[in-house]
């Protein structure tokens, strides 16, 4: 009887050790994004890779795939929902399209006044609640403190007041909230892949585009559009996301390393973005672009009807425009 019990204990211990060994197995993670090598976000991802591999003593390896090498954002999200060990950056507008509609407000115009508003919000109970809803949809947000940038507008004709943008065809990402954000300003939002924008500006198909300054500059759009309007219609912080199937396959320590190092890399990225934004704004001027500072309050006032437009808010929690500022401590 004692011999049988001893064998059972040894067998049980062996099973536990084997399970631990499997759970702690080396893991390779792919991070895919649209940004090109050398852009602030790419440099931030390089830092994330370095930190994870160092913190995990090489048991976690990160492979970076810039320039849409793994496909579009939606392609990568489909891959992660299937269980692949992939990560990509995504924002509230995409999460709304994936079944968490209140996340849409993060891309609504002039929601945030300062970057501190963003950082307060991501630590709030409201943000956690929305993130938990996303988990139920199979997606896990890993890190949320990455600055993508203040989104401004680069055009072929000057925009000095909000009236000047009326009827202008402005390229925007293909999601409902950003389309609505320019419609309410009086523009004609025109979704296009970023790769088609240069030629479209050149041929007069569109009159401008919006994006953070590093993206606008690195796309060389200033060669065909000479007016940069600093309207700052969205403070765009971004997040990185993976599938819950993959995230749950990691050990608690691996999960911690991935998320903590992601936040540290976010701070690294932010320093680069703020510095690059200042330097590239001057480069725009040096290359013959007129940088126009506008009355942002005028643009904001024009945008406010969006928050009471049933076509925009129908899927939102009632009173969301009041709820979100409260989550920012306002």
């Amino acid at each position: 009887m004692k011999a049988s019990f001893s064998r059972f204990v040894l067998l049980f211990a062996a099973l536990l050790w084997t399970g631990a060994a499997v759970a702690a197995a080396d893991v390779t993670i792919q991070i895919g994004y649209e940004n090109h090598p050398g852009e602030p976000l790419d440099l931030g991802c390089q830092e994330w890779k370095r930190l994870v591999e160092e913190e995990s003593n090489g048991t976690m390896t990160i492979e970076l795939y810039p320039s849409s090498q793994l496909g579009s954002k939606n392609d990568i999200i489909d891959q992660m929902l299937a269980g692949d060990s992939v990560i990509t950056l995504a924002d509230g507008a995409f999460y709304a399209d994936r079944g968490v509609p209140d996340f849409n407000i993060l891309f609504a115009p002039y929601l945030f006044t300062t970057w501190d508003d963003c950082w307060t919000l991501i630590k709030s109970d409201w943000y956690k609640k929305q993130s938990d809803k996303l988990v139920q949809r199979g997606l896990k947000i890993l890190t949320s403190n990455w600055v993508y940038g203040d989104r401004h507008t680069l055009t072929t004709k000057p925009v000095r007041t909000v009236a000047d943008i009326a009827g202008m065809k402005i390229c925007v990402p293909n999601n409902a909230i950003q389309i609505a954000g320019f419609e309410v300003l009086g523009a004609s939002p025109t979704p296009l892949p970023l790769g088609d924008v240069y030629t479209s500006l050149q041929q007069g198909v569109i009159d401008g585009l919006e994006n953070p300054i590093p993206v606008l500059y690195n796309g060389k759009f200033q060669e065909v559009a000479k007016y940069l309007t600093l309207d700052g219609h969205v403070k765009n912080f971004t997040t990185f996301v993976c599938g819950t199937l993959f995230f749950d396959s990691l050990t608690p320590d691996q999960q911690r390393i991935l998320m903590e190092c992601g936040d540290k890399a976010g701070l690294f990225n932010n320093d680069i973005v703020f510095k690059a934004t200042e330097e590239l704004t001057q480069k725009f001027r040096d290359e013959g672009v007129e940088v126009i500072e506008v009355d942002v309050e005028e643009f904001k006032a024009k945008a406010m009807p969006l928050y009471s437009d049933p076509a925009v808010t129908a899927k939102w929690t009632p009173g969301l425009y009041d709820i979100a500022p409260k989550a920012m401590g306002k």
Side-chain angles (χ1 to χ4, degrees):
M1 184 71 174
K2 287 183 179 179
S4 298
F5 180 77
S6 298
R7 284 196 297 270
F8 172 77
V9 170
L10 290 171
L11 178 61
F12 184 70
L15 287 171
L16 285 177
W17 182 88
T18 301
V22 170
D26 292 1
V27 60
T28 298
I29 305 164
Q30 299 176 327
I31 304 180
Y33 41 93
E34 297 167 328
N35 304 74
H36 300 304
E39 289 188 30
L41 186 130
D42 174 66
L43 298 177
C45 286
Q46 290 181 38
E47 178 69 0
W48 194 1
K49 168 184 169 67
R50 185 189 71 79
L51 290 169
V52 165
E53 293 178 356
E54 182 180 276
E55 178 75 13
S56 69
N57 294 316
T59 62
M60 299 174 72
T61 301
I62 288 184
E63 298 174 348
L64 302 179
Y65 293 89
S67 306
S68 302
Q69 293 177 44
L70 293 183
S72 70
K73 195 184 309 289
N74 282 319
D75 290 338
I76 299 175
I77 289 176
D78 287 339
Q79 292 170 32
M80 62 181 66
L81 288 172
D84 290 354
S85 57
V86 293
I87 294 171
T88 195
L89 80 160
D91 303 298
F94 289 92
Y95 297 146
D97 291 344
R98 293 287 174 165
V100 187
D102 281 1
F103 260 138
N104 224 350
I105 198 171
L106 300 181
F107 259 83
Y110 302 104
L111 177 68
F112 302 111
T113 304
T114 68
W115 286 105
D116 284 341
D117 290 342
C118 302
W119 312 144
T120 301
L121 185 70
I122 66 174
K123 295 175 183 175
S124 69
D125 291 339
W126 176 85
Y127 191 81
K128 183 179 184 304
K129 181 179 179 181
Q130 304 312 311
S131 300
D132 289 344
K133 289 181 180 179
L134 193 64
V135 167
Q136 295 171 16
R137 298 285 179 168
L139 298 172
K140 171 68 178 177
I141 295 177
L142 298 169
T143 175
S144 299
N145 69 333
W146 291 58
V147 168
Y148 199 67
D150 288 285
R151 299 182 79 98
H152 300 297
T153 308
L154 183 69
T155 54
T156 56
K157 296 177 286 187
V159 175
R160 306 186 194 281
T161 71
V162 73
D164 292 336
I165 205 169
M168 291 180 70
K169 295 178 182 178
I170 306 297
C171 176
V172 300
N174 191 14
N175 60 69
I177 190 64
Q178 287 178 276
I179 291 172
F182 270 83
E183 285 178 339
V184 75
L185 293 177
S188 177
T190 307
L192 286 174
L194 204 57
D196 295 343
V197 170
Y198 188 101
T199 302
S200 297
L201 285 168
Q202 206 171 32
Q203 296 175 348
V205 175
I206 57 173
D207 302 305
L209 74 157
E210 63 79 54
N211 242 299
I213 283 174
V215 178
L216 295 173
Y217 186 85
N218 288 324
K220 300 186 183 302
F221 302 116
Q222 68 275 16
E223 295 176 354
V224 287
K226 294 297 184 180
Y227 300 94
L228 174 62
T229 298
L230 302 180
D231 55 337
H233 47 276
V234 170
K235 284 196 176 300
N236 183 183
F237 74 89
T238 196
T239 72
F240 281 86
V241 63
C242 71
T244 55
L245 290 173
F246 164 65
F247 185 77
D248 291 343
S249 74
L250 299 175
T251 67
D253 196 48
Q254 289 171 334
Q255 293 173 352
R256 176 193 63 77
I257 289 172
L258 192 58
M259 296 176 74
E260 287 183 0
C261 291
D263 285 347
K264 290 177 182 177
L267 297 176
F268 178 88
N269 164 84
N270 299 351
D271 287 341
I272 297 173
V273 170
F274 292 136
K275 184 178 180 182
T277 297
E278 184 177 342
E279 292 176 350
L280 295 178
T281 301
Q282 184 56 48
K283 283 190 175 183
F284 270 124
R285 292 188 177 100
D286 295 343
E287 294 178 25
V289 172
E290 182 181 349
V291 178
I292 304 169
E293 296 190 17
V294 296
D295 180 358
V296 173
E297 290 303 316
E298 180 196 23
F299 280 72
K300 182 176 180 179
K302 182 73 171 178
M304 283 305 100
L306 175 144
Y307 291 99
S308 56
D309 182 355
V312 175
T313 64
K315 294 182 180 180
W316 290 2
T317 297
L320 181 59
Y321 183 61
D322 296 320
I323 294 168
K326 286 180 182 177
M328 290 182 255
K330 295 186 174 183

